[in-house]
Amino acid sequence: MTANTTFRAGQRPTTAPTFEVRLARGADELRAAQALRYSVFVEELGGSGPMVDHEARLERDEFDPHFDHLLLFDHARAGSPVVGVYRLLRDDQAERIGRFYSETEYDISVLQRSGRRLLELGRSCLHSEYRGGSAMYEMWNGLAEYVQAHRVELMFGTASFHGTDVGQLAPALSLLHHRHLAPPELRARARPEHFQSMNLMAEDAIDRVAAMKSVPALIKAYLRLGGMVGEGAWIDHDFNTTDVLLIMDTARMNDTRRAIYTGGRDR
């Protein structure tokens, strides 16, 4: 997907959102993305970081200049129209800067040795008013176009549970470990500094329905598309989260999941 590619939702009433998904153009749109990230990751989730600008209300880091920033705009909205963000880093971009962002938390060498085209996903968030509706679907359609344009074969990135109380998260983490662990040839592993085993409960002791309810919606969406998790979670005290590494092998997606991901409406 090129920087001037636009994806618009179908005809909508004037009171409904008017969505556009495209890559950020220039410093002002990047700042709008960082402002939305501040609202979500800092104000809502209590995160922080060395480059967070509290005075300007921007969540940013040293990787931002090297990523593509996929933005969701609602042109019918008063104020900033940026209501969704995805940060994207291809393997060719990572080569130029020397590493992927996820390498801070996970040893991803098994993915890098696969010889397949990689795309790292990160900093995904939606404005609170747009959750639970069609906004994420619009974002994923734009992401699918990007994936196809760059012939991506493996996607990966960290996704977060709010909080660092592993006891409360034990059923959900254990469910991911037992039911959705990546195969050995794709099983990246959390680095030892903050490694947290996700094998905290026996599978037959887990209330699967209750555990899945506590899994964040974004993680559940990836699982429905055939996503898998790496070995171990990473406790991120700066962002007040417990992170898992999600991995998606596009070649292993079945036809139904592929249709969903690439824009089919039959959910």
Side-chain angles (χ1 to χ4, degrees):
M1 184 174 68
T2 59
N4 62 356
T5 301
T6 296
F7 306 89
R8 291 190 180 275
Q11 198 71 25
R12 299 172 185 269
T14 56
T15 55
T18 303
F19 285 133
E20 176 189 13
V21 183
R22 61 170 171 79
L23 298 182
R25 302 169 184 160
D28 288 345
E29 291 187 351
L30 175 56
R31 284 175 64 88
Q34 293 168 335
L36 177 60
R37 284 161 36 185
Y38 186 93
S39 173
V40 174
F41 296 123
V42 178
E43 293 186 324
E44 289 188 39
L45 300 179
S48 186
M51 291 184 63
V52 171
D53 187 336
H54 294 286
E55 184 174 352
R57 298 168 56 83
L58 301 176
E59 191 281 301
R60 58 188 184 181
D61 66 19
E62 71 274 18
F63 283 86
D64 276 336
H66 307 287
F67 276 72
D68 286 337
H69 300 266
L70 187 68
L71 306 184
L72 175 66
F73 297 83
D74 176 9
H75 293 294
R77 182 174 185 269
S80 174
V82 175
V83 298
V85 176
Y86 240 127
R87 200 166 75 163
L88 312 175
L89 187 71
R90 303 185 310 273
D91 46 15
D92 58 304
Q93 295 167 311
E95 286 179 8
R96 292 197 290 269
I97 62 176
R99 67 187 182 96
F100 287 98
Y101 175 83
S102 298
E103 291 183 73
T104 305
E105 301 184 4
Y106 281 82
D107 177 357
I108 62 167
S109 56
V110 67
L111 303 180
Q112 294 168 305
R113 290 195 302 267
S114 71
R116 303 175 71 186
R117 296 180 184 228
L118 304 179
L119 176 67
E120 181 180 51
L121 312 176
R123 290 297 200 275
S124 174
C125 62
L126 286 173
H127 190 286
S128 59
E129 296 174 6
Y130 291 80
R131 297 169 198 164
S134 63
M136 195 67 215
Y137 178 81
E138 300 291 343
M139 285 289 287
W140 279 39
N141 275 346
L143 178 59
E145 294 286 349
Y146 186 98
V147 165
Q148 291 174 349
H150 294 283
R151 300 180 181 178
V152 171
E153 297 172 276
L154 286 175
M155 297 178 288
F156 68 96
T158 56
S160 302
F161 288 82
H162 182 47
T164 58
D165 186 338
V166 177
Q168 288 188 347
L169 300 175
L173 293 176
S174 299
L175 183 66
L176 294 181
H177 175 85
H178 291 301
R179 296 288 186 94
H180 301 285
L181 190 63
E185 66 271 17
L186 297 177
R187 194 178 299 166
R189 182 179 175 86
R191 295 194 177 276
E193 308 93 271
H194 296 275
F195 180 93
Q196 170 59 57
S197 173
M198 295 197 294
N199 187 12
L200 300 169
M201 299 174 61
E203 185 173 3
D204 59 7
I206 301 170
D207 180 337
R208 186 176 181 277
V209 173
M212 189 56 72
K213 285 182 179 178
S214 67
V215 174
L218 180 63
I219 297 177
K220 283 191 281 195
Y222 281 117
L223 298 179
R224 286 195 295 270
L225 294 169
M228 306 163 284
V229 297
E231 179 73 33
W234 169 274
I235 307 300
D236 189 337
H237 295 287
D238 283 344
F239 274 88
N240 190 32
T241 60
T242 298
D243 298 345
V244 298
L245 187 74
L246 287 163
I247 303 156
M248 186 178 297
D249 182 344
T250 58
R252 296 189 178 193
M253 294 164 63
N254 63 33
D255 291 341
T256 300
R257 287 167 175 160
R258 188 183 304 277
I260 294 171
Y261 185 72
T262 56
R265 296 280 171 176
D266 51 333
R267 293 195 163 198

